[in-house]
């Protein structure tokens, strides 16, 4: 890897497209506990702790581009319990429990109605 002096990349900020922005807002704010911090006609910003996401209204991309996003946490059990208790319907049918993966991560996933997948992960110590 190349060395870069006096510069650091500090954050990755994903953009997720929705044909119906209400679906994305409900998923991230009500379901995952993010707070809406900005909006205009087509852009909504949601944040929780150090994570910031851009939710964008776009009919075409909202139907075609359904990303998988990974969020690292320092307490996977706590976030899992929060979601399982408050919104168990969001748990992904293929990873609806915390699983120790052979690549050194503990993971579980949630899925929104448009198939945007969010995987929460924590390094196995």
């Amino acid at each position: 890897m190349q060395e870069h002096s006096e510069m650091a990349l500090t954050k990755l900020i994903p953009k997720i497209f929705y044909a119906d922005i209400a679906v994305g807002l409900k998923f991230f704010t009500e379901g995952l506990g993010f707070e809406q911090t900005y909006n205009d006609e087509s852009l909504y910003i949601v944040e929780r702790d150090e994570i910031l996401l851009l939710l964008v209204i776009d009919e075409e991309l909202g139907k075609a581009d359904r990303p998988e996003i990974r969020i690292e946490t320092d307490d996977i059990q706590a976030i899992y319990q929060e979601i399982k208790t408050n919104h168990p319907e969001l748990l992904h049918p293929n990873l609806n429990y915390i699983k120790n993966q052979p690549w050194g991560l503990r993971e579980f996933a949630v899925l929104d109605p448009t198939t945007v997948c969010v995987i929460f992960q924590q390094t196995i110590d």
Side-chain angles (χ1 to χ4, degrees), residues 19-39:
D20 180 357
I21 198 68
V23 173
L25 289 172
K26 182 176 181 180
F27 179 66
F28 284 102
T29 60
E30 293 177 28
L32 302 182
F34 281 70
E35 178 184 343
Q36 181 182 317
T37 58
Y38 175 83
N39 75 278

Side-chain angles (χ1 to χ4, degrees), residues 3-58:
E3 235 182 86
H4 299 275
S5 61
E6 299 183 38
M7 185 211 49
L9 303 177
T10 60
K11 188 182 277 191
L12 177 68
I13 304 171
K15 183 186 290 185
I16 305 168
F17 299 100
Y18 283 94
D20 180 357
I21 198 68
V23 173
L25 289 172
K26 182 176 181 180
F27 179 66
F28 284 102
T29 60
E30 293 177 28
L32 302 182
F34 281 70
E35 178 184 343
Q36 181 182 317
T37 58
Y38 175 83
N39 75 278
D40 60 27
E41 310 81 46
S42 64
L43 171 68
Y44 291 74
I45 297 175
V46 294
E47 300 180 61
R48 178 172 173 171
D49 303 322
E50 299 299 314
I51 305 298
L52 183 141
L53 303 170
L54 306 177
L55 308 182
V56 179
I57 299 170
D58 187 301

Side-chain angles (χ1 to χ4, degrees), residues 68-79:
E68 176 182 290
I69 299 167
R70 290 181 165 270
I71 298 177
E72 187 170 85
T73 180
D74 61 0
D75 191 346
I76 198 164
Q77 190 64 45
I79 189 72

